[in-house]
Amino acid sequence: MGMMLILQGALTQNVVLGSLLGVGVLVDLPRSVEDARREITLLGALLALATVTTWLIEHIILLPLHAQFLRIIFFMLTIALGEQALEHFFGWRISPYRKVILWSVVLGVSLQNTLYQRGFSESLFYALGAGLGYILVLVMMIGLHERLKHARVSRLLQGLPMILLCATIMSMAFTVFLSF
């Protein structure tokens, strides 16, 4: 069951290409390998921390009080506080735009876990898969960006239009995994 949730999070319900959460990564790629490493580390730690805390908040506070309408507020506060604590712990500074991208990915994973009523361990497996899916898209987009720098492309399609066109094709390719 765990492996299926990991594959589901990474491929069939990819948070960037399938759900369009964190799609900002397509627009603004990390500037260096070090920035990408920091972002991946922060995302992994934030996904783990937020998955545990949002699951506990959902099942200990919101469901018993029938206060599911407060879910997004509680989840966003949890993610923001967790991100600030992790930034302080690691001693890194992340740009506000990159924070919004990470927050949207983590919020999407937390909301999908509650939507599909996943248990605690299932939520962790899905979060692991979502993190791996984000890394997969990030690596693919960095490689694609490098190739497009040297490709002959019409002036009308240079830059963001070509990136979004390639992302659309990649998203369609990821839908093939839905049949499995």
Side-chain angles (χ1 to χ4, degrees):
M1 182 67 172
M3 189 61 171
M4 286 301 288
L5 283 168
I6 291 171
L7 289 174
Q8 187 179 32
L11 299 175
T12 60
Q13 292 181 357
N14 187 288
V15 290
V16 177
L17 296 176
S19 305
L20 297 180
L21 299 165
V23 75
V25 74
L26 304 175
V27 177
D28 183 31
L29 295 171
R31 303 281 183 244
S32 67
V33 174
E34 182 63 23
D35 288 346
R37 186 188 64 77
R38 284 181 182 169
E39 185 173 316
I40 289 169
T41 303
L42 186 63
L43 177 71
L46 188 57
L47 271 172
L49 181 66
T51 298
V52 170
T53 54
T54 56
W55 191 90
L56 290 172
I57 287 170
E58 176 76 14
H59 290 85
I60 293 174
I61 297 172
L62 298 178
L63 287 178
L65 296 176
H66 303 288
Q68 293 92 333
F69 60 91
L70 296 172
R71 181 180 294 145
I72 291 178
I73 295 170
F74 272 91
F75 285 8
M76 282 305 297
L77 284 172
T78 302
I79 292 166
L81 291 173
E83 185 269 329
Q84 289 297 312
L86 289 171
E87 252 190 14
H88 181 71
F89 175 76
F90 288 121
W92 296 336
R93 303 297 325 147
I94 304 289
S95 73
Y97 183 73
R98 303 301 303 169
K99 286 180 187 181
V100 170
I101 294 170
L102 294 179
W103 288 1
S104 64
V105 169
V106 176
L107 179 64
V109 170
S110 297
L111 289 175
Q112 285 181 352
N113 281 334
T114 58
L115 175 71
Y116 293 112
Q117 299 175 347
R118 293 189 175 105
F120 185 74
S121 61
E122 293 171 331
S123 296
L124 287 173
F125 281 122
Y126 181 75
L128 174 64
L132 292 174
Y134 183 85
I135 293 168
L136 175 68
V137 171
L138 184 67
V139 168
M140 287 176 14
M141 291 309 295
I142 289 172
L144 186 64
H145 198 297
E146 287 298 315
R147 285 189 155 207
L148 286 175
K149 282 182 184 176
H150 306 293
R152 287 182 40 176
V153 178
S154 169
R155 273 191 16 191
L156 295 174
L157 290 176
Q158 286 179 351
L160 185 60
M162 183 53 86
I163 295 288
L164 292 176
L165 183 64
C166 292
T168 302
I169 294 169
M170 285 171 41
S171 179
M172 289 176 6
F174 271 65
T175 60
V176 169
F177 296 115
L178 287 173
S179 63
F180 294 108

